[in-house]
Amino acid sequence: MAVQRAITSSTRCKATFWEDGLLLPFGHPRRGFHIPNPTIFYDEATWPMDDKADPLTGWSIQEVYGTQTSAAMDVYGKLFVHLRKVVKKFLDRLTILNVDFEMVNIDAKELPLHLAKDHYTRIEVSNICDASYLGIRATLTALAPLLQPPEMNPNATLITLFLNAVMDIAKANGEKDSMSNMNLLLEYLPRPDWLSLAKPQGADMMRLWDSRALVMDVRKHFQKYMQVHGFTRVAADLKVDFKSRNTIVEEWPTQLKLQVKQKGGVEEFNTLLGSDFSGLEHYVEWRRTV
């Protein structure tokens, strides 16, 4: 019964967010929030947010769930409190720094035409480096020259994010590879109704399919991805190098941290499974060699 109440409470919070699009604790007055964000709602003819748009997808789900609030299952209230702390920390930091913000609205490939070379200490490119977008070679060709060279700053870093790489390799290797580690997966999940597994759209099969990425051998698949897309050759051609160990961001930030038998291991799995993260998100850091 407690589980049912928890599910109902969190679902109700999500339904409220879907209704008004306001990131506020559940039950907080909505009066006064009547001016839409013009950077999102700028075209009267279209609705810019798809039905999966969710502010929870932009932040560490474990940190959000770990935020203490009076309503334990109000995940959007938790996110509100968490972000208020993050923003305050950021604003406090700005008071002791001399910072300029420059915004440009152009294709990333055109940035070298507008920004200075050998100038930046850190560049974060999101996942435009995925093969389905620019790819790693085009991304580094365009943006690596903007980094400070090693003789100026040996710590200057370009940060790339790969969202699709592991699954691309798993799919290329066939369905059997994408459904590996089934024995481990079944340790996390409730015992399925084996008859229901014969139904592709059955709840048990859908749960298995959605959670399979959480127990993949991500490092093996990404090593294969690096070989397929010639990371070593790209690095040599463009006079850059990828770090063997990241020094700025966690390499696999959404991977499970606990083993299934450890205290909190199953809860961590369920939290990740209930989020929009796949556990396959991977950061690679690069530096110039000349």
Side-chain angles (χ1 to χ4, degrees):
M1 184 63 70
V3 172
Q4 182 62 41
R5 283 200 300 269
I7 293 173
T8 302
S9 299
S10 61
T11 302
R12 188 174 181 186
C13 294
K14 175 168 283 191
T16 300
F17 173 76
W18 282 346
E19 287 178 5
D20 56 31
L22 298 176
L23 182 60
L24 292 169
F26 187 79
H28 190 285
R30 263 56 179 171
R31 293 189 304 273
F33 295 94
H34 51 74
I35 301 176
N37 185 338
T39 65
I40 300 176
F41 300 95
Y42 54 84
D43 187 345
E44 295 182 358
T46 61
W47 183 258
M49 299 172 65
D50 66 25
D51 58 357
K52 295 186 295 183
D54 191 331
L56 287 167
T57 61
W59 306 92
S60 167
I61 195 67
Q62 302 297 348
E63 290 184 6
V64 171
Y65 271 73
T67 301
Q68 297 297 316
T69 57
S70 56
M73 295 309 300
D74 181 8
V75 292
Y76 294 95
K78 287 178 176 290
L79 179 59
F80 175 86
V81 173
H82 174 68
L83 290 184
R84 189 160 60 176
K85 292 178 181 177
V86 170
V87 172
K88 183 181 184 304
K89 186 177 180 180
F90 173 70
L91 293 176
D92 290 344
R93 178 70 172 161
L94 286 183
T95 62
I96 60 174
L97 295 175
N98 183 17
V99 179
D100 292 322
F101 292 95
E102 179 181 356
M103 298 184 183
V104 292
N105 184 22
I106 57 176
D107 191 303
K109 292 181 292 186
E110 298 177 8
L111 285 173
L113 302 176
H114 301 269
L115 302 178
K117 291 184 178 181
D118 305 332
H119 180 70
Y120 296 93
T121 59
R122 189 175 302 173
I123 299 173
E124 194 274 320
V125 303
S126 188
N127 70 313
I128 63 172
C129 53
D130 265 327
S132 54
Y133 297 105
L134 288 185
I136 190 60
R137 179 178 286 275
T139 299
L140 293 174
T141 298
L143 300 177
L146 305 181
L147 274 181
Q148 292 178 346
E151 64 271 16
M152 182 184 299
N153 181 358
N155 298 313
T157 301
L158 185 145
I159 304 171
T160 53
L161 170 62
F162 294 88
L163 298 181
N164 306 313
V166 171
M167 190 56 75
D168 284 349
I169 293 299
K171 289 179 178 178
N173 291 344
E175 183 175 316
K176 182 178 180 180
D177 204 27
S178 70
M179 293 293 287
S180 60
N181 289 337
M182 281 296 295
N183 290 335
L184 175 59
L185 185 57
L186 292 174
E187 291 187 56
Y188 282 105
L189 296 172
R191 182 180 296 275
D193 178 351
W194 296 107
L195 291 177
S196 74
L197 294 180
K199 304 175 183 178
Q201 303 304 322
D204 288 322
M205 178 55 75
M206 293 293 290
R207 188 182 297 111
L208 283 171
W209 186 255
D210 287 344
S211 59
R212 71 196 192 283
L214 304 185
V215 295
M216 277 186 181
D217 187 344
V218 293
R219 288 166 178 79
K220 180 189 76 172
H221 288 315
F222 195 78
Q223 284 294 326
K224 179 65 174 178
Y225 182 89
M226 293 173 67
Q227 295 172 12
V228 170
H229 293 279
F231 274 40
T232 301
R233 171 52 59 188
V234 169
D237 291 347
L238 302 181
K239 304 298 189 293
V240 296
D241 194 14
F242 50 87
K243 299 180 184 178
S244 58
R245 295 186 64 181
N246 285 3
T247 59
I248 298 173
V249 294
E250 188 177 354
E251 294 180 26
W252 300 93
T254 61
Q255 272 279 289
L256 296 172
K257 306 298 189 295
L258 302 175
Q259 300 297 317
V260 63
K261 300 298 184 182
Q262 287 183 277
K263 183 179 180 180
V266 173
E267 289 77 9
E268 180 190 41
F269 176 91
N270 289 334
T271 297
L272 185 56
L273 178 58
S275 74
D276 284 334
F277 295 106
S278 66
L280 308 180
E281 295 84 359
H282 183 41
Y283 284 100
V284 179
E285 296 178 1
W286 303 76
R287 62 180 184 86
R288 288 176 56 176
T289 56
V290 294

